[in-house]
Amino acid sequence: MKASCDICPHRCALEEGQLGVCKARSNQGGAVLSDSYGLVTAISLDPIEKKPLFQFHPGSMILSVGSYGCNLHCSFCQNYRISMSDANHVDTVYFSPEDLIEKAVELQSEGNIGIAFTYNEPLIGYEYVRDCASLAKKRGLKTVVVTNGYINEDPLRDLMPVIDALNIDLKSFTEAFYRRCGGSLEEVKRSIRIASESAHVEVTTLIIPGENDTEEEMHNLASWLAGVDEEIPLHISRFFPSYRMSDIAATDVASVYRLADIARDYLKYVYTGNC
């Protein structure tokens, strides 16, 4: 019997045992559930600025956790070894929500303020993020999500009461670019609007030569984001060759700075990364 996944806009219709596009959810007895629940591929205590979040508890540390899989397939992915993988091709360690929260609490003495779900696309593991974030809130910990924003409206709204901050990728400001990644610009724009209603939001755009680096596109992107809230920080980041774009040169630093200057015509807080 087929079952439909309602977490992201792909809405995968899956046969029993079949994996979705994300490689981390499957039809289990007529319901689509998370295969990656509690399966951690990477865990590290990081400065909050590495997420990047520059205006959310700056100077603090946060326990960063990743799993595997992603619901987009960007050819320039910086974490492709886990985001483009499935359970059979990565090493994982199981952390129950209770175990993860206890580890976060133990690290408070080292400046930890909570948990950041990052590295791969965390919201395909929706149930784990929800369960951990609910426990974190009860213990006075913060929850951060670093996400591509490609999630349906209802699950995002249901999750937001337990999320404190997000960094959302805005990969480009054209639908053509998003189609090549297997997503939709309009869906991500909606996620940014919803998240900014109740949580601290920062946005990251990776600038790829010849792909999303025109001045016109940055004008459009920054002016739209300012229309949501001109105080949303925008991180304009430099691309380095990776994954299926290993033959593309790194972004010229001057190009990143030029585009940042354009964004500053609209937004109060614009930062450059990897320069």
Coordinates of all heavy atoms in Angstrom, one line a residue, residues 1 17 19 65 82 105 113 121 123 135 159 168 196 208 222 235 239 242 250 260 263:
M1 N 0.8 -1.2 0.0 CA 0.0 0.0 0.0 C 0.9 1.2 0.0 O 1.8 1.4 0.8 CB -0.9 0.0 1.2 CG -1.8 1.2 1.4 SD -2.8 1.2 2.9 CE -3.5 2.8 2.8
G17 N 8.4 0.0 2.3 CA 9.8 -0.1 2.3 C 10.6 0.8 1.4 O 11.8 0.9 1.5
L19 N 12.3 4.1 -0.1 CA 12.9 5.4 0.4 C 12.4 6.6 -0.4 O 12.2 6.4 -1.6 CB 14.4 5.4 0.4 CG 15.2 4.6 1.4 CD1 16.6 4.5 1.0 CD2 15.0 5.1 2.8
V65 N 24.8 18.9 15.6 CA 24.5 17.5 15.3 C 24.0 17.3 13.9 O 23.2 18.1 13.4 CB 23.4 17.0 16.3 CG1 23.1 15.5 16.1 CG2 23.8 17.2 17.8
I82 N 27.7 13.1 3.5 CA 26.6 12.7 4.4 C 25.2 13.1 3.8 O 24.3 12.3 3.9 CB 26.7 13.2 5.8 CG1 26.8 14.7 6.0 CG2 27.9 12.5 6.5 CD1 26.8 15.2 7.4
V105 N 23.5 19.4 28.1 CA 23.5 20.0 29.5 C 24.9 19.9 30.1 O 25.4 20.8 30.7 CB 22.4 19.3 30.4 CG1 22.6 19.6 31.8 CG2 21.0 19.6 29.9
I113 N 24.9 26.6 24.7 CA 23.6 27.1 25.0 C 22.5 26.2 24.5 O 21.3 26.4 24.7 CB 23.4 28.5 24.3 CG1 23.6 28.4 22.8 CG2 24.4 29.5 24.9 CD1 23.1 29.7 22.1
E121 N 20.5 17.9 5.8 CA 19.3 18.7 5.9 C 18.5 18.1 7.1 O 17.9 17.0 7.1 CB 18.4 18.6 4.7 CG 17.0 19.1 4.8 CD 17.0 20.5 5.5 OE1 17.8 21.4 5.0 OE2 16.2 20.7 6.4
L123 N 15.6 18.8 8.6 CA 14.2 18.7 8.7 C 13.6 17.5 8.0 O 12.4 17.2 8.2 CB 13.5 20.0 8.2 CG 13.8 21.2 9.1 CD1 13.1 22.5 8.5 CD2 13.5 21.0 10.5
L135 N 12.3 18.6 24.4 CA 13.0 18.4 25.6 C 14.0 19.5 25.9 O 14.1 19.9 27.1 CB 13.8 17.1 25.5 CG 13.0 15.8 25.5 CD1 13.9 14.6 25.3 CD2 12.2 15.6 26.8
L159 N 6.4 23.0 14.1 CA 7.7 22.9 14.8 C 8.1 24.2 15.4 O 8.9 24.2 16.4 CB 8.7 22.5 13.7 CG 10.1 22.2 14.2 CD1 10.1 21.0 15.1 CD2 11.0 21.9 13.0
I168 N 18.7 29.8 7.2 CA 18.1 29.2 6.1 C 18.8 29.6 4.8 O 19.1 30.7 4.6 CB 16.6 29.7 6.0 CG1 15.8 29.4 7.2 CG2 15.9 29.1 4.7 CD1 14.4 29.9 7.3
S196 N 10.5 33.7 10.3 CA 10.8 35.0 10.9 C 9.6 35.6 11.7 O 9.8 36.6 12.4 CB 11.1 36.0 9.7 OG 10.0 36.2 8.9
I208 N 28.0 31.3 -6.5 CA 28.7 30.4 -7.4 C 29.0 31.1 -8.8 O 28.0 31.6 -9.4 CB 27.9 29.1 -7.7 CG1 27.5 28.5 -6.3 CG2 28.6 28.1 -8.6 CD1 26.5 27.4 -6.4
A222 N 18.0 40.7 -2.2 CA 18.1 41.6 -1.0 C 16.9 42.4 -0.8 O 16.4 42.6 0.3 CB 19.4 42.4 -1.1
H235 N 24.1 36.4 5.0 CA 25.5 35.9 4.9 C 25.8 35.6 3.4 O 25.2 34.7 2.9 CB 25.8 34.7 5.7 CG 25.6 35.0 7.2 ND1 26.6 35.3 8.1 CD2 24.4 35.0 7.9 CE1 26.1 35.4 9.3 NE2 24.7 35.3 9.2
F239 N 32.0 30.5 -2.8 CA 32.0 29.1 -3.2 C 33.4 28.6 -3.4 O 34.3 29.3 -3.9 CB 31.2 28.9 -4.5 CG 31.5 27.7 -5.3 CD1 30.8 26.5 -5.0 CD2 32.4 27.6 -6.3 CE1 31.0 25.4 -5.7 CE2 32.7 26.5 -7.0 CZ 32.0 25.3 -6.7
S242 N 33.6 21.8 -5.2 CA 33.1 20.7 -4.4 C 32.2 19.8 -5.2 O 31.5 20.2 -6.1 CB 32.4 21.2 -3.1 OG 32.0 20.2 -2.3
A250 N 36.9 28.7 -7.6 CA 36.3 29.4 -6.4 C 35.9 30.8 -6.8 O 36.4 31.5 -7.7 CB 37.4 29.5 -5.3
A260 N 27.9 42.0 -1.8 CA 27.5 42.4 -0.4 C 27.2 43.9 -0.4 O 26.3 44.3 0.3 CB 28.7 42.0 0.5
A263 N 23.7 44.3 -1.5 CA 22.7 43.9 -0.5 C 22.6 44.9 0.6 O 21.5 45.1 1.2 CB 23.2 42.5 0.1

